[in-house]
Amino acid sequence: MGKRAEEALEITPDELADYLRKNHSVYMEHDGTLYYLTDVNNHDWRAQDTTVLNDKGHYTDCSELVYLVYEFLDLPFIDGNKSIMDVAAESTFYASEGSGAR
C-alpha cells in the first residue's frame, strides 16, 4: 500500500477504470471515510477501509474481491448499497505514492 498524495487528482468517474488499470490503486475520500482501492497481484480488485487496521497494521477489506475493474466499480459496499460509481462524482480521489507507507 502506498501513501496518499497530498493533492487531489483531477479525474472524472469515466476516467477511473483506466486510471486504476494503469496505476493499480487510488485513494477515495467519501463522506469522511478514506478508502484504498487497489488490485491484488494485478488480478482481483478490492476496497479497503483505511481507518480500520488488522493485527498486521494493514487496512482491512470492506468489499468482496472481484476480477473485473468494471465489476469492482459497480460493486455495492459503501453504506451497504452504494458503489464507487454511485459516489464517484461527489468523492475526492488521491494518487497512491510509493509503497510500504501510509
Side-chain angles (χ1 to χ4, degrees):
M1 82 187 123
K3 180 180 175 185
R4 188 200 82 161
E6 291 294 320
E7 292 189 36
L9 292 169
E10 292 186 26
I11 189 170
T12 68
D14 291 338
E15 297 168 324
L16 193 53
D18 287 336
Y19 182 90
L20 283 169
R21 277 195 210 98
K22 181 180 177 186
N23 295 284
H24 305 280
S25 61
V26 71
Y27 283 90
M28 179 182 81
E29 187 172 18
H30 174 72
D31 199 23
T33 301
L34 185 65
Y35 298 97
Y36 186 57
L37 313 178
T38 187
D39 64 9
V40 181
N41 299 323
N42 295 325
H43 295 288
D44 296 315
W45 293 92
R46 68 176 171 204
Q48 297 178 307
D49 185 337
T50 67
T51 64
V52 181
L53 303 179
N54 65 20
D55 58 349
K56 295 180 181 179
H58 298 151
Y59 304 145
T60 57
D61 293 351
C62 59
S63 76
E64 299 174 35
L65 288 172
V66 293
Y67 184 69
L68 299 173
V69 72
Y70 286 106
E71 181 182 5
F72 172 60
L73 294 175
D74 288 331
L75 183 69
F77 69 91
I78 302 165
D79 298 331
N81 63 352
K82 295 178 186 169
S83 71
I84 295 165
M85 292 307 289
D86 290 335
V87 302
E90 59 204 47
S91 298
T92 305
F93 294 90
Y94 300 88
S96 176
E97 298 177 333
S99 63
R102 277 182 299 222

